[in-house]
């Protein structure tokens, strides 16, 4: 079973197991380092959501950096089982693993999140389907990380989100979005 290393926080250098599931491609180490430089290394007290969790590496990185709560949503049962094993091995009590369809989860989220990771399988159209629901998922000052096969300038129908940063590593395009000043996603 392949393994990947957590790149920062109190569990830095710890390995997690990655199951062989079609379409699963863990975020590369170099991209994760950049992402958490953008977000800040200390996520103490923040609530994070890892949609389309797959290996869960983004959620595990957030937990390692002090996030108060991390929800990982993954529909593949084998991937969910691996997430639970890795969370137990790392003693991450703040992780909640939802073995569910992300598109159903976003319809009635249990809370709002400070950081949202959106990293679905490439060429699936799932980014476009999740984008309109981000306002209901996000806390007022939330940041949204999106990983895709191509560069994004916006989140389509989710107009209040502005591109803060972006990068590319090989075939991975990654983006960080934040709300435009003065919007809170709560409506007029």
């Amino acid at each position: 079973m392949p393994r990947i290393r957590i790149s920062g926080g109190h569990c830095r250098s710890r390995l997690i197991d990655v199951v062989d599931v079609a379409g699963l491609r863990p975020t590369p180490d170099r991209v994760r380092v950049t992402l958490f430089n953008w977000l800040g290394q200390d996520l103490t007290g923040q609530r994070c959501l890892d949609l389309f969790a797959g290996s869960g590496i983004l959620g595990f990185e957030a937990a390692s950096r002090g996030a108060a709560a991390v929800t990982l949503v993954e529909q593949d049962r084998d991937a969910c089982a691996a997430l639970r094993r890795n969370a137990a091995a790392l003693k991450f009590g703040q992780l909640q693993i939802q073995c569910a369809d992300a598109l159903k989860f976003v319809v009635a989220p249990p809370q709002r999140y400070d950081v949202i990771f959106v990293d679905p399988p490439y060429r699936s159209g799932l980014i476009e389907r999740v984008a309109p629901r981000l306002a209901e998922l996000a806390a007022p000052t939330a940041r949204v990380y999106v990983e895709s096969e191509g560069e994004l300038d916006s989140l389509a129908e989710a107009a209040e989100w502005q591109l803060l940063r972006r990068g590319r590593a090989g075939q991975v395009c990654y983006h960080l979005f934040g709300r435009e000043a003065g919007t809170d996603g709560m409506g007029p």
Side-chain angles (χ1 to χ4, degrees):
M1 179 174 296
R3 303 179 93 193
I4 53 176
R5 190 173 309 278
I6 294 174
S7 65
H10 73 274
C11 285
R12 182 178 185 197
S13 298
R14 297 280 306 269
L15 295 170
I16 64 166
D17 294 328
V18 179
V19 295
D20 185 18
V21 173
L24 190 142
R25 42 166 187 72
T27 300
D29 185 61
R30 178 177 145 207
V31 174
R32 285 183 278 122
V33 168
T34 300
L35 168 61
F36 285 96
N37 283 336
W38 291 348
L39 292 174
Q41 295 297 319
D42 184 0
L43 298 182
T44 300
Q46 296 195 32
R47 296 173 317 267
C48 301
L49 173 63
D50 188 354
L51 285 173
F52 314 102
S55 70
I57 191 61
L58 295 175
F60 290 125
E61 292 278 6
S64 181
R65 289 168 168 82
V70 179
T71 302
L72 296 105
V73 180
E74 173 56 49
Q75 85 176 18
D76 185 271
R77 291 189 188 279
D78 292 335
C80 281
L83 292 172
R84 287 188 177 96
R85 285 191 305 272
N86 286 324
L90 294 167
K91 297 180 174 55
F92 280 153
Q94 75 270 51
L95 261 69
Q96 180 183 27
I97 298 163
Q98 296 285 325
C99 195
D101 182 329
L103 294 176
K104 291 179 182 172
F105 179 88
V106 300
V107 171
Q111 64 182 331
R112 290 186 177 238
Y113 300 92
D114 302 300
V115 178
I116 301 169
F117 305 109
V118 180
D119 181 13
Y122 287 171
R123 292 177 254 310
S124 63
L126 291 169
I127 294 169
E128 295 79 7
R129 293 180 67 190
V130 167
R133 308 302 290 187
L134 290 174
E136 292 127 31
L137 291 168
T141 59
R143 290 157 296 162
V144 177
Y145 169 79
V146 180
E147 198 170 301
S148 62
E149 67 276 5
E151 289 189 9
L152 303 173
D153 292 319
S154 69
L155 287 175
E157 296 176 35
E160 80 258 21
W161 297 96
Q162 68 180 18
L163 180 64
L164 303 174
R165 299 194 178 212
R166 78 167 129 211
R168 182 179 196 106
Q171 295 183 344
V172 177
C173 294
Y174 50 102
H175 314 79
L176 187 65
F177 292 90
R179 281 209 168 101
E180 290 183 17
T183 64
D184 65 2
M186 302 298 279

